[in-house]
Amino acid sequence: MADAPGCCHPCATCLLCLYSCHWITAEKEKRKGLRTTKCDCSWFLFLFCVFLFTLVWLYFAIIILNDFHNFNEFIFKQRKLWLDWSLVLLIATAVLITYSAVLLVLALCLQLCGQPLKLHWLHKTLLILTAVVVAAAFTGLGIKWAEEWRSAHISLQATGPFLHIGIVGGMTLLAWPLASFIYHTRNTGLKVFLLLVYCAVMIALYLAPLGITSPCIMEENQLPPKPALVGHRGAPMLAPENTLMSLHKAVDCDVQVFETDVMVSADGVPFLMHDEELTRTTNVQSVFPERAALNSTAFNWTDLQQLDAGSWFLERRPFPTVQSLSAGDRYQATEQRIPSLEQALEAAKESNISIMFDLRPENHSDYQSFVNATLGVILQSGIPLQQVLWLPDGFREQVKHQAPGVQQVYGRKRLQNEKEPLLHVNLPYQDMSSEEIRQYRQDNISVNLYVVNQPWLFSVLWCSGVTSVTTNACQVLKEMKHPIWLLPSSTYLMIWTVADCASFLAIVWAFLLLKKCSQRRRPVESETDVLLTKINSLMQE
């Protein structure tokens, strides 16, 4: 197998060293008469598949970043260890994708240089290990976090058109090493097989946009209004969650609703707290070490007021944005205490925003007394009842009777034979399709989806027509004046056509050019083989 034009011997030697882990010059490799065997081709195919497998996992890793704070909270609940596991995920994924990508590039360069693909056993072992690690990651995702598969499906609505162009471009570049291999190999059956597979894949890719749908493929004048923002526990990227500081930061982000969680103390005072235990968001382990593992409702209000509800935010840094806080914000965070529902309602009334909350824990034996205490605080607060959005399903009829002005928000879709029409629904963003969102909008049903942090996801839901979204990143979504992208169908059709035509022409050019180069090299290769044969004969004599 002769060297391709423009491939110098030092470069070929370096490539061989990195890929085969043997320091042997390209000339010696050539004199040995080594060729790429079927086994070597199988390992190259395995390398290509591992690269694609890892690339898909990288895509998933980027998509699930929207929900990764939930995973961090889950790990803390199980192990009492706080760490931003998204960094671990991204670093590990970057290492795996970089390794497989470098090996693939080396293999393609060796093929273009006409050198044998002798993958070293160490690389083979590491590739198998990479495949096992990625397979384990996908398996764990499917078992413990199955809803993320639906997140990936939604993400294709945001990335589908661009993924299509990227994949077409990648497969077009693959035509060069494929043509080089076909013109070098003497196995006719393998040539035909590879060409048929490649052609089938390219035809499928050229026609793929027929199956690509996205709510953001629309005319500019059809774009629905920007969804309202609901602060998830306030503005948790800018202040400790479920505190008055977090509420005020959310107001600064132009949120229309403060979403929180309410529990009731042992002496009947409703207060803001998400977790059943106080260990994650307070210093209860320092103040009440012997009672730290108790349920939040086991503490009376006097005890709760002794806890620091803000310093943990600076120590654990649940979000990267904590590092950029001003000195004033850092000091204010350390002064935060657990707020009562009465204080939160007063702040919401002053800021003219609504408040939406869950009442936890719903399986508590005294849950009805929790409802009564919460209703009593709401009615005594003087806040306009239409600014209160009630989420709990327990004793909902009692709430409707005692506080008919409170807006009832349901955590489910509407039923076929609904007794009274739903006006507000609050669901995970994975649970509603774009078509359902449009239908609810046409029927004047307010749809709030949670938790939406990434601009790509916000853009898809904006184009779909969702009423509002619950978010941790209100400071980011506030600045979005337009979806990330919006394409009229005619523009997308033009981009699709141009990309496919350019790809087809590039592939034809690659095969014709390499065929011409191959024909020029054949006489030289023949003369070289004869000369090498004579030299070997003389040396043997």
Side-chain angles (χ1 to χ4, degrees), residues 40-59:
D40 296 328
C41 291
S42 299
W43 277 108
F44 173 76
L45 180 61
F46 180 70
L47 167 60
F48 186 70
C49 291
V50 169
F51 171 73
L52 292 181
F53 196 33
T54 312
L55 195 62
V56 172
W57 171 250
L58 174 64
Y59 180 82

Side-chain angles (χ1 to χ4, degrees), residues 120-176:
H120 193 264
W121 65 265
L122 179 61
H123 287 319
K124 295 177 181 178
T125 303
L126 291 177
L127 279 177
I128 293 173
L129 184 61
T130 299
V132 170
V133 169
V134 176
F138 272 116
T139 303
L141 185 69
I143 295 174
K144 293 294 185 179
W145 217 0
E147 62 268 22
E148 291 305 315
W149 293 106
R150 287 177 285 167
S151 300
H153 181 263
I154 293 172
S155 73
L156 292 176
Q157 298 178 17
T159 61
F162 308 101
L163 282 178
H164 167 252
I165 295 173
I167 295 173
V168 167
M171 291 299 294
T172 301
L173 292 176
L174 193 61
W176 289 86

Side-chain angles (χ1 to χ4, degrees), residues 195-206:
L195 279 174
L196 287 177
V197 170
Y198 185 75
C199 290
V201 170
M202 292 310 299
I203 291 173
L205 286 175
Y206 290 157

Side-chain angles (χ1 to χ4, degrees), residues 9 56-57 60 84 110 133 160 209 275 293 302 333 402 404 416 478 500:
H9 291 306
V56 172
W57 171 250
F60 268 82
D84 187 0
L110 282 171
V133 169
D275 297 2
T302 303
Q402 294 185 12
Q416 290 283 354
K478 169 192 174 183
D500 286 359

Side-chain angles (χ1 to χ4, degrees), residues 110 146 187 194 271 405 409 454 479:
L110 282 171
N187 190 328
L194 290 177
F271 63 96
V409 183
Q454 297 294 327
E479 300 301 326

